[in-house]
């Protein structure tokens, strides 16, 4: 691209002699990522992006997209520069780019709320979310009303805030003085407009001290929870994308209680395999894994009133292949994944709708799996691999791997039932419903509910378990992970199905083991 860059303006090289601006030594900018990086090194992010924003405002979206970068990829370009300038700072900030399809989905969820007035993007960054909201409002004819009531942009990054502002002014013809731009630490700000609707992708920083809020925030020690909690203090409607860890961890229980007391809504949870919600790479990473592997959730929340339903509808843990992305990132499809039972989030269950009745029925009459365990080591040992992506691997054979733990049944009868439950789909079901992360914690396994009214022939189960144990040596599988070969006992699907049928009859567990949505 044949451009010459001057302070505050961009002009074609052919027209440069007619320009009233004085050429600077480093003003030539034939745009490419390589030159972009060199310009940042020579002139700094603020100066480079000031000129980019000036050009965006003085031209139009189409021209900017053609000459510089696609309007909807501006945030990605900024992330590249941010990571290059200080990857340590970027990592510590915990900020991640929101893909356009996710932004559009969240915007549609927010705009489904009636009587939208003022809106805010908290942690707006370069503006992917707020641009998507304004486009949706434009589509439904509600943009002018929201502009009149107020558009609030919060971020502690001055450059990103100016980029966001420039994008809005250029795309929608909104004057800059019609935007309420607040640069600073969101958690220390006060006096927020009430009755406002909020969209947000807050920073994901864990295990940090947060000097804000009450015990719900202090116990969590996660920055995104502090943002989430403060937003819920003043917002009328909230659509927010966060890690789904707030649904899983005990340390988030006080926050979930606060959420349940003040809001109702829907929560969609996404696995990070085989395709993550945050599509694409992370900029400024420190290892070879540059995929954004956050297991995300999208929460659509509505403040309670006297006529509101109580509790939240949850989706199952959604897994999808890359070719399914357009189908899955759709509010109608996601609505079809929601369960029918509203939950108070005391211990959220991300159940498949087809298994909901079965799972909640067990919760009414059960004992914890740890009641089958002995207090000390004995002959009734089972080796459990901590990696549990698509099934749980449990064997009498001690697996040669770095990630495993051993459990000991209290007697032969308990051993047979424990071995059967682990190698059927049952324990894996609860692991998916309660957590579903990369690793299976021993503490979670011990708390899995077992139905008290489970009926089976103990002698037949013992024979079945003995036959399966006899095949363990032939069912070894190997995979390189973290530079080391990891052994796992991987039984054929027919083994799992035989245990499912023996213990649970006609219950269809097959959705649990798929890596795609049907």
């Amino acid at each position: 691209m044949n451009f010459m860059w001057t302070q505050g303006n961009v002009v074609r090289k052919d027209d440069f002699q007619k320009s009233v601006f004085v050429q600077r030594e480093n003003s030539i900018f034939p745009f490419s990522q390589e030159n972009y990086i060199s310009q940042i090194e020579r002139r700094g992010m603020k100066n480079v992006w000031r000129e980019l924003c000036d050009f965006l405002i003085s031209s139009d979206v189409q021209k900017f997209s053609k000459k510089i970068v696609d309007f909807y990829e501006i945030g990605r370009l900024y992330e590249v520069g941010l990571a290059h300038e200080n990857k340590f700072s970027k990592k510590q900030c915990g900020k991640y780019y929101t893909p356009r399809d996710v932004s559009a989905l969240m915007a549609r969820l927010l705009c489904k709320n009636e009587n939208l007035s003022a809106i805010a993007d908290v942690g707006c960054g370069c503006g992917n979310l707020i641009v998507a909201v304004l486009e949706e409002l434009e589509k439904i004819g509600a943009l002018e009303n929201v502009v009149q009531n107020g558009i609030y942009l919060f971020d502690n990054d001055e450059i990103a805030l100016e980029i966001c502002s420039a994008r809005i002014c250029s795309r929608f013809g909104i004057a800059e003085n019609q935007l309420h731009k607040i640069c600073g630490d969101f958690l220390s700000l006060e006096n927020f407009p009430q009755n406002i609707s909020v969209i947000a992708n807050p920073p994901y920083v864990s295990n940090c001290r947060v000097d804000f809020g009450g015990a719900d925030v202090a116990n969590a020690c996660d920055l995104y929870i502090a943002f989430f909690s403060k937003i819920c203090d003043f917002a009328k409607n909230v659509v927010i994308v966060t890690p789904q860890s707030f649904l899983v961890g005990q340390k988030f229980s006080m926050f979930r209680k606060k959420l349940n007391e003040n809001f109702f809504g829907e929560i969609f949870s996404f696995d990070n395999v085989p395709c993550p919600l945050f599509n694409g790479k992370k900029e400024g990473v420190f290892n070879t894994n540059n995929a954004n592997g956050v297991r995300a959730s999208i929460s659509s929340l509505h403040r309670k009133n006297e006529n509101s339903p109580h509790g939240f509808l949850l989706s199952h843990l959604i897994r999808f292949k890359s070719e399914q992305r357009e189908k899955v990132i759709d509010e109608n499809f996601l609505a079809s994944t929601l369960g029918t039972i509203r939950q108070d989030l005391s211990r959220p269950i991300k159940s498949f709708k087809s298994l909901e009745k079965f799972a909640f029925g067990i919760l009414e009459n059960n004992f914890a799996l740890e009641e089958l365990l002995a207090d000390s080591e004995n002959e009734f040992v089972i080796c459990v691999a901590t990696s549990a992506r698509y099934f749980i691997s449990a064997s009498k054979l001690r697996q040669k791997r770095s990630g495993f733990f051993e459990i000991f049944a209290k007697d032969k009868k308990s051993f047979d039932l424990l071995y059967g439950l682990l190698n059927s789909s049952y324990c894996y079901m609860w692991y998916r419903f309660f957590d579903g992360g990369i690793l299976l914690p021993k503490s979670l396994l011990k708390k899995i509910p077992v139905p008290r009214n489970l009926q089976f022939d103990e002698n037949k189960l013992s024979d079945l378990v003995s036959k399966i144990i006899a095949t363990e040596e032939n069912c070894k599988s190997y995979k390189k992970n973290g530079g080391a070969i990891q052994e796992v006992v991987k039984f054929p699907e027919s083994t799992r199905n035989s245990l499912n049928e023996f213990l649970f009859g006609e219950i269809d567990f097959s959705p649990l083991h798929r890596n795609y949505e049907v």
Side-chain angles (χ1 to χ4, degrees), residues 201-217:
N201 180 3
Y204 308 162
V205 181
S206 298
N207 301 317
C208 60
R209 177 180 173 181
V210 180
D211 295 321
F212 159 79
D216 61 312
V217 173

Side-chain angles (χ1 to χ4, degrees), residues 151-153 164-166 168-169 174-181:
I151 298 171
Y152 294 80
L153 309 173
C164 179
S165 174
I168 293 171
C169 295
I174 297 172
E176 186 177 10
N177 61 12
Q178 292 180 284
L179 303 175
H180 303 275
K181 297 184 292 182

Side-chain angles (χ1 to χ4, degrees), residues 82-330:
L82 203 62
H84 179 80
E85 190 174 57
N86 190 337
K87 67 162 58 178
F88 288 94
S89 175
K90 183 182 185 304
K91 180 179 178 67
Q92 291 164 359
C93 288
K95 294 182 178 180
Y96 293 111
Y97 172 88
T98 315
R100 188 182 180 187
D101 56 356
V102 177
S103 299
L105 167 67
M106 293 173 66
R108 291 193 296 272
L109 291 173
L110 186 70
C111 292
K112 288 174 78 171
N113 292 289
E114 296 181 357
N115 303 318
L116 284 183
S117 50
I119 58 173
D121 186 343
V122 173
C124 63
C126 292
N128 276 19
L129 285 173
I130 192 65
V131 166
V133 171
L134 297 178
E135 286 186 333
E136 185 65 21
L137 291 170
E138 184 180 58
K139 189 185 303 181
I140 63 177
L143 179 59
E144 183 177 349
N145 178 59
V146 167
V147 172
Q148 290 175 353
N149 282 284
I151 298 171
Y152 294 80
L153 309 173
F154 296 90
D155 209 283
N156 64 353
D157 183 336
E158 181 185 359
I159 302 173
L161 195 59
E162 289 306 313
I163 295 170
C164 179
S165 174
R167 293 182 73 191
I168 293 171
C169 295
S170 175
R171 168 64 180 81
F172 303 99
I174 297 172
E176 186 177 10
N177 61 12
Q178 292 180 284
L179 303 175
H180 303 275
K181 297 184 292 182
I182 300 95
C183 185
D185 177 10
F186 173 72
L187 298 179
S188 66
L189 298 173
E190 298 178 354
N191 301 320
F192 290 95
Q194 299 300 304
N195 212 31
I196 194 170
S197 297
V198 175
I199 196 163
N201 180 3
Y204 308 162
V205 181
S206 298
N207 301 317
C208 60
R209 177 180 173 181
V210 180
D211 295 321
F212 159 79
D216 61 312
V217 173
N219 289 353
C221 299
D222 276 57
L223 191 59
Y224 84 85
I225 288 296
F227 272 69
F228 204 162
S229 182
K230 183 160 187 172
I231 288 168
C232 289
D233 286 342
F234 68 89
K236 174 177 66 171
N237 305 296
V238 182
V239 175
I240 186 169
V241 57
T242 67
Q244 58 171 293
S245 55
F246 82 94
L247 289 171
V248 174
Q250 178 61 30
K251 69 177 184 177
F252 301 106
S253 60
M254 292 186 71
F255 171 72
R256 294 196 301 266
K257 182 179 179 181
K258 173 182 174 179
L259 205 58
N260 186 65
E261 288 172 351
N262 295 286
F263 288 87
F264 70 99
E266 303 80 41
I267 303 174
F268 308 96
S269 296
F270 298 84
D271 207 340
N272 57 6
V273 291
C275 182
L277 183 69
F278 289 100
N279 198 22
K281 64 176 287 186
K282 294 184 289 187
E283 304 295 342
V285 295
F286 295 80
N287 52 49
T288 56
N289 179 17
N290 61 9
N292 192 334
V294 172
R295 291 191 308 132
S297 66
I298 296 177
S299 302
S300 180
L301 313 175
H302 324 281
R303 187 168 292 279
K304 281 183 177 179
N305 59 43
E306 58 208 25
N307 299 317
S308 300
H310 295 279
F312 297 83
L313 298 178
L314 273 61
S315 77
H316 61 263
L317 187 55
I318 298 167
R319 285 177 170 169
F320 62 96
K321 297 181 178 180
S322 56
E323 58 266 28
Q324 291 186 297
R325 188 173 182 91
E326 184 176 353
K327 168 190 173 181
V328 169
I329 311 302
D330 174 83

